[in-house]
């Protein structure tokens, strides 16, 4: 293994993987690679991690990944917990009239069960400026060489690796970093993605947004209806030219961020602290509020994704390949999940356990996810139009008339009845933004790293965007069930750690273990067999696993290091060793 601290020349550093960017994608890639024993260098042009809250919703799939690498409890210690996330309020001002509420992020009693049954981990709210230091610290402790203030300039590829030119922004000194592979995680304006000409579909800067971060104690207005988002609709108020904004909780209940849209076709708004405070007080409906402005920024909404995520030995992840508004809270989650998918494959190739063709499955598996989440997030944003239509404020007009239209929802008239019904339907449509459990948890892979058993992806029993449906069809995420013994209770996901392949079977399938041990020795891979049943190390405590596994007791599920099913056998075949060898060599491109 190359030592990243040892330069082969005064101006060159060598490592196995170079990561450009320290956001959620880059920092998590460093953490996953170091956890797997892969030497890596992370460079970022910034002097430290994120200085604003940015992304914040952290969904169950991402928390499962953090659980896998041992940082779940650390994240939860810094996060706002699940139970305080969900009373999303629509109002005329934070201290004004409510237009309605929707229980979000699985906090509705009917949805809470779906979330609890699906995962051992709960979603939470942790702002990006709190999450990134956790990722960077743990990556660095485990071996990552982290270089802040180091700007990526260019790269050259050859048959054996990638040579990147970087510049120390403090000294101006330029030097090379030589790596076997490079991960571009340098954000929506990715220079790495541009340098390797990744093909993009869609547009950038489709709309404008401005952020105002501020400190104020708002406990008396929100603690009884806890949420991470309060949507304010003030037609005619001309905030950024739109008249609506999100008041986002950063830390309960004293750190906040307001997100306002503005018309990107005109001049961007100019904000000083006085104007920012005026906007804050107006949206909150608290003209005398003692508020401290802590920052302002402008940014663009995007609707763009890459159709290919790799070029030779260069891979891109995160916002570099999927760029979209924050609707649905998918951005940092998908970024972390990109890196989780890629890290085990790079480790397998670098350790000689897999052929390089395995790496082609990164695009095959993650590009469809990039497309899905970009389109879903933008569609969710546009679905707000139904809310404005219901209140009859979608078209511009005199403020007095628009406010009268909002007030009409209270009338004891046919028009009032119709408006209330339309508003209810518009709120129900927002389920697709705030409770899209199937989008968050139901990612399904079809690639060369998945061996089909001829089964089609199961037909959804309920709306596939709103509801996650467990399955063991190859390509599915391993379903969660609680298993264990009289001394412990663990998830089936805990049985399949990221540093190995795992074969799950039942008591009558115990001969799979001999086959797996022989194949592991032959191929030089780490493959562990777990037999689930009474009298074994792991028992099916609630008999949930027998209902979820979808194969006979003597069948088997081959779980990849990223906890997706790579292959399954419905029953014990005549030649289990041959069947398992064929599956594993296919997945690993051997």
């Amino acid at each position: 293994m190359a030592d990243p601290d040892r330069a082969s020349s005064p101006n060159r550093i060598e490592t196995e993987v170079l990561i450009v960017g320290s956001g959620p994608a880059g920092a998590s890639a460093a953490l996953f690679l170091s956890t797997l024993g892969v030497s890596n260098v992370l460079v970022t042009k910034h002097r430290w991690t994120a200085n604003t809250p940015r992304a914040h919703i952290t969904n169950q799939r991402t928390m499962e990944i953090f659980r896998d690498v041992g940082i779940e409890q650390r994240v939860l210690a810094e996060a706002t917990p699940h139970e305080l996330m969900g009373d999303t309020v629509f109002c005329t001002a934070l201290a004004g009239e409510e237009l309605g509420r929707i229980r979000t992020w699985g906090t509705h009693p009917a949805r809470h069960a779906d979330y609890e049954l699906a995962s051992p981990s709960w979603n939470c709210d942790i702002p990006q400026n709190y999450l990134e230091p956790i990722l960077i610290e743990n990556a660095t402790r485990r071996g990552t060489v982290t270089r802040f203030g180091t700007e990526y300039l260019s790269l050259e590829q050859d048959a054996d690796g990638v040579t990147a030119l970087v510049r120390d922004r403090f000294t101006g000194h330029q030097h090379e970093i030589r790596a076997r592979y490079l991960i571009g995680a340098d954000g929506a304006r990715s220079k790495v993605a541009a340098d390797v000409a990744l093909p993009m579909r869609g547009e950038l800067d489709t709309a404008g947004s401005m952020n105002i971060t501020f400190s104020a104690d708002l406990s008396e207005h929100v603690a009884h209806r806890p949420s991470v988002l309060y949507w304010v609709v003030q037609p005619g108020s001309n905030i950024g030219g739109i008249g609506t904004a999100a008041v986002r909780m950063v830390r309960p209940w004293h750190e906040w961020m307001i997100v306002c849209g503005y018309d990107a076709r005109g001049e961007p708004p100019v904000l000083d602290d006085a104007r920012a405070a005026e906007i804050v007080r107006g949206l909150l409906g608290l003209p005398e509020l003692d508020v401290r402005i802590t920052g302002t920024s402008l940014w663009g909404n995007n609707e763009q994704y890459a159709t290919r995520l790799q070029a030779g030995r260069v891979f891109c992840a995160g916002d570099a390949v999927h760029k979209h508004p924050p609707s649905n809270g998918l951005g940092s989650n998908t970024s972390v999940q990109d890196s989780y998918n890629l890290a085990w494959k790079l480790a397998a190739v670098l350790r000689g356990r897999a052929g390089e063709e395995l790496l082609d499955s990164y695009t095959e598996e993650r590009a469809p996810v990039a497309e899905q989440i970009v389109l879903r997030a933008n569609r969710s944003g546009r679905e707000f139009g139904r809310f404005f239509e219901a209140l009859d404020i979608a078209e511009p007009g005199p403020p007095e008339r628009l406010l009268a239209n909002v007030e009409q929802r209270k009338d004891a008239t046919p028009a009032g009845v119709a408006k209330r019904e339309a508003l209810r339907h518009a709120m129900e449509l927002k389920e697709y933004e705030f409770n899209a459990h199937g989008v968050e948890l139901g990612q399904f892979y079809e690639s060369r790293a998945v061996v089909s058993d001829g089964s089609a992806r199961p037909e959804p029993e309920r709306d596939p965007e709103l509801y996650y449906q467990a399955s063991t069809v190859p390509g599915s995420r391993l379903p969660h069930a609680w298993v264990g013994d009289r001394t412990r209770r663990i998830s089936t996901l805990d049985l399949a750690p990221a540093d190995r392949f795992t074969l799950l079977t039942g008591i009558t399938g115990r001969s799979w273990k001999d086959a797996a041990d022989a194949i592991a020795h032959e191929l030089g891979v780490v493959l562990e067999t777990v037999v689930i049943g009474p009298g074994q190390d792991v028992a099916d405590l609630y008999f949930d696993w027998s209902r979820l596994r979808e194969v006979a007791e003597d069948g088997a599920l081959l779980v990849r290091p990223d906890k997706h099913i790579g292959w399954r056998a419905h029953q014990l075949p005549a030649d289990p060793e041959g069947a398992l060898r064929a599956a594993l060599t296919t997945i690993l491109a051997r």
Side-chain angles (χ1 to χ4, degrees), residues 237-257:
S237 64
N238 197 34
I239 303 165
I242 304 296
T244 186
V247 180
R248 179 188 140 193
M249 181 277 296
V250 177
R251 308 298 276 176
W253 305 109
H254 60 280
E255 290 185 31
W256 299 88
M257 183 165 75

Side-chain angles (χ1 to χ4, degrees), residues 188-189 202-207 300-305 323-324:
R189 308 286 175 178
E203 299 179 73
L204 297 178
D205 297 322
T206 56
N301 284 292
N302 304 312
E303 189 168 7
Q304 189 181 77
Y305 55 90
K323 312 163 192 187
H324 55 88

Side-chain angles (χ1 to χ4, degrees), residues 380-422:
S380 290
R382 286 189 279 269
E383 285 168 352
F384 262 107
R386 291 282 292 276
F387 185 82
F388 301 136
E389 291 168 7
L391 293 171
D392 197 15
I393 58 173
E395 298 299 325
E400 297 80 8
R401 178 168 65 80
L402 296 175
L403 289 169
N405 290 346
V406 174
E407 287 295 296
Q408 193 181 41
R409 79 191 191 283
K410 304 174 183 177
D411 291 351
T413 63
V417 171
K419 182 158 288 188
R420 289 188 289 275
E421 187 71 4

Side-chain angles (χ1 to χ4, degrees), residues 21-265:
S22 60
S28 61
L31 173 59
F32 303 151
L33 289 169
S34 287
T35 301
L36 295 172
V38 174
S39 71
N40 63 95
V41 173
L42 183 150
V43 300
T44 174
K45 65 183 179 182
H46 303 295
R47 67 178 184 84
W48 187 231
T49 53
N51 59 357
T52 61
R54 303 182 198 175
H56 58 121
I57 298 296
T58 307
N59 65 34
Q60 286 181 295
R61 181 58 181 146
T62 300
M63 291 303 292
E64 290 172 357
I65 293 169
F66 292 159
R67 179 188 184 93
D68 191 28
V69 296
I71 65 168
E72 181 184 31
Q73 293 306 311
R74 175 72 184 280
V75 171
L76 289 173
E78 296 285 348
T80 298
H82 164 81
E83 60 268 19
L84 295 182
M85 291 173 63
D87 257 18
T88 296
V89 174
F90 296 78
C91 52
T92 59
L94 192 69
E97 288 192 353
E98 283 196 22
L99 301 169
R101 302 183 196 180
I102 177 174
R103 290 187 177 98
T104 55
W105 316 116
T107 57
H108 190 290
R111 297 308 310 274
H112 190 275
D114 291 331
Y115 283 65
E116 186 168 22
L117 288 169
S119 176
S121 301
W122 281 106
N123 52 15
C124 64
D125 185 286
I126 180 166
Q128 190 170 330
N129 53 330
Y130 287 83
L131 175 61
E132 283 184 14
I134 296 173
L135 298 175
I136 291 289
E137 176 192 344
N138 282 275
T140 305
R141 285 181 181 274
R142 298 179 194 189
T144 297
V145 176
T146 304
R147 294 183 172 242
F148 291 100
T150 302
E151 183 178 10
Y152 160 81
L153 299 176
S154 63
L155 66 83
E156 292 184 0
Q157 296 194 63
D158 55 47
D160 299 314
V162 185
T163 302
L165 182 65
V166 302
R167 179 174 68 90
D168 187 310
R169 299 185 78 185
F170 301 105
T171 66
H173 175 71
Q174 296 184 8
H175 63 274
E176 293 178 345
I177 301 179
R178 176 68 175 176
R180 293 280 302 279
Y181 298 98
L182 185 147
I183 300 174
D186 49 337
R189 308 286 175 178
S190 172
K191 180 168 170 50
V192 174
D195 286 350
V196 297
L198 292 187
M200 299 287 174
R201 186 172 295 165
E203 299 179 73
L204 297 178
D205 297 322
T206 56
S209 290
M210 59 179 174
N211 290 351
I212 302 170
T213 53
F214 66 96
S215 296
D217 183 1
L218 301 179
S219 302
E220 65 175 295
H221 303 287
V222 297
H224 60 287
R225 47 179 184 173
S227 181
V228 297
L229 287 172
Y230 301 83
W231 285 95
V232 178
V233 178
Q234 290 182 353
S237 64
N238 197 34
I239 303 165
I242 304 296
T244 186
V247 180
R248 179 188 140 193
M249 181 277 296
V250 177
R251 308 298 276 176
W253 305 109
H254 60 280
E255 290 185 31
W256 299 88
M257 183 165 75
I258 280 176
V259 185
C260 309
Y262 69 88
D263 190 343
R265 296 169 297 181

Side-chain angles (χ1 to χ4, degrees), residues 362-382:
Y362 174 62
T363 282
E364 294 167 353
E365 294 179 352
R366 297 303 297 176
V369 175
E371 177 180 0
Q372 179 195 29
I373 63 112
V374 167
L375 298 181
R376 177 66 259 172
N378 278 277
R379 184 178 173 189
S380 290
R382 286 189 279 269

